[in-house]
Amino acid sequence: MKDILTADFMVEMIRTVSNMYDHGWDERNGGNVSLMLDEKETSDYLQRQTVLRTIPTGFAAPELEGKTFLVTGTGKYFKNVKYAPEVNLGIVRLKDGGKQAELLWGFTDGGQFTSEFPAHMMSHAARLKADPENRVVMHCHPENLLAMTYVHDLDERQFTRTLWQMCTECIVVFPDGVNVLPWMLCGTNEIGEATAEKMKTARLVIWSQHGVYGAGKNLDETFGLIETAEKAAEIFMKIAHLPRVNTITDEQMHLLEKRFGVQAREGWLD
Ligand code: 2HA
Ligand code: ZN
């Protein structure tokens, strides 16, 4: 077996959560990330037949039976992951229709996966139906997106249109827009189910007064998705109290659609 700390997926996960921390998106134990791994990429690094512990998940996700995930731990600080990956991260495989998770590596202090595991797994199941290549679900607390949920209408079309208007690239990066959940109790199956429902139609889901969920094919793409939306929210928070003299018009958005070969969410442009 090769050293798992040298595997591409591990190096990328450590870099990504460190970068998220450095962006100020993950204070204390805030945020959580899960990355679906395939057998091919883990076979040189992991004894897949050795189960260290079995952990009940408290939900069912039959679509994810047998799937393996590298996931951040509950109560763990992103800033510490690079110093002790085997304590702060774990690799789990779902079984019994998602009701049990077999720990294959990590959480060496007896810990377990993030409290938001239901939202992560239900979101993976929902995104895989929309895009079979989806592998990542990422949650964090970026300050401007969060701030925006205090001062902006939470209507999804309105919220998205404001973000699209803040930077030219936004409609290109997230033509599917953002979906928005009202404040809900986090860490529950209910918020997991609600998030997954919202993930059917967009890769970004805002948790009002809490943070954001993003989904994508790989860690870079998902990070970039949140980074772009957060940049737009930052511009909004800089200008929201000032008179708006200029904007990006819907006509200009249609030009961007044509130039970049993207299709804005149906009915969200005039
Ligand atoms: O894991 O971000 O939503 C800490 C959180 C909970
Ligand atoms: Zn959170």
Side-chain angles (χ1 to χ4, degrees):
M1 286 283 126
K2 294 189 195 162
D3 178 1
I4 196 165
L5 296 180
T6 66
D8 284 350
F9 59 80
M10 189 68 71
V11 171
E12 277 171 36
M13 177 63 102
I14 295 168
R15 278 191 192 146
T16 301
V17 297
S18 301
N19 201 7
M20 292 172 78
Y21 177 75
D22 292 342
H23 274 62
W25 298 351
D26 299 280
E27 73 290 344
R28 200 175 182 272
N29 64 320
N32 23 77
V33 182
S34 57
L35 166 67
M36 200 169 81
L37 301 170
D38 61 34
E39 249 186 276
K40 218 168 49 247
E41 65 188 334
T42 55
S43 56
D44 287 347
Y45 301 99
L46 201 60
Q47 298 277 10
R48 295 181 69 93
Q49 64 276 27
T50 311
V51 175
L52 305 172
R53 280 185 272 146
T54 300
I55 309 169
T57 65
F59 60 84
E63 308 92 327
L64 301 178
E65 174 74 31
K67 299 248 187 269
T68 304
F69 296 89
L70 174 61
V71 60
T72 54
T74 182
K76 299 296 193 260
Y77 293 25
F78 277 17
K79 75 182 177 68
N80 295 337
V81 172
K82 64 181 166 191
Y83 303 111
E86 66 291 340
V87 178
N88 295 289
L89 302 174
I91 296 179
V92 294
R93 178 173 57 208
L94 293 185
K95 69 163 192 178
D96 295 346
K99 293 201 197 90
Q100 310 275 348
E102 298 176 312
L103 180 65
L104 304 180
W105 176 88
F107 301 144
T108 55
D109 63 350
Q112 66 174 63
F113 39 73
T114 166
S115 59
E116 303 296 357
F117 202 58
H120 277 254
M121 294 302 112
M122 293 174 194
S123 293
H124 274 285
R127 283 314 303 168
L128 281 170
K129 280 195 198 122
D131 174 6
E133 287 184 39
N134 193 86
R135 311 262 299 242
V136 176
V137 173
M138 185 178 282
H139 167 62
C140 55
H141 307 156
E143 60 198 36
N144 294 288
L145 279 170
L146 223 162
M148 208 171 142
T149 67
Y150 287 87
V151 297
H152 194 285
D153 192 322
L154 298 179
D155 174 78
E156 291 168 341
R157 182 176 182 273
Q158 290 308 329
F159 203 95
T160 296
R161 287 176 56 81
T162 297
L163 291 175
W164 282 347
Q165 287 163 2
M166 293 302 111
C167 311
T168 294
E169 298 243 296
C170 279
I171 196 168
V172 180
V173 176
F174 51 98
D176 44 341
V178 302
N179 285 337
V180 183
L181 283 180
W183 187 92
M184 289 178 74
L185 187 61
C186 53
T188 62
N189 287 354
E190 287 69 31
I191 201 169
E193 283 156 15
T195 307
E197 185 60 32
K198 295 290 187 191
M199 281 280 178
K200 288 182 180 168
T201 49
R203 293 162 299 150
L204 283 166
V205 178
I206 307 284
W207 279 11
S208 293
Q209 295 84 48
H210 183 136
V212 64
Y213 265 75
K217 292 183 188 17
N218 57 50
L219 289 163
D220 259 3
E221 186 196 85
T222 314
F223 181 96
L225 183 65
I226 293 176
E227 188 180 29
T228 307
E230 168 61 5
K231 169 61 105 26
E234 182 178 356
I235 313 283
F236 176 76
M237 294 308 295
K238 282 189 204 294
I239 66 157
H241 60 295
L242 300 171
R244 181 99 70 98
V245 180
N246 301 303
T247 193
I248 305 172
T249 65
D250 282 37
E251 204 177 3
Q252 290 166 333
M253 301 267 188
H254 287 301
L255 290 176
L256 287 163
E257 281 184 296
K258 275 202 204 80
R259 170 70 181 81
F260 292 95
V262 297
Q263 185 89 58
R265 179 96 156 249
E266 174 95 50
W268 285 21
L269 285 179
D270 293 330

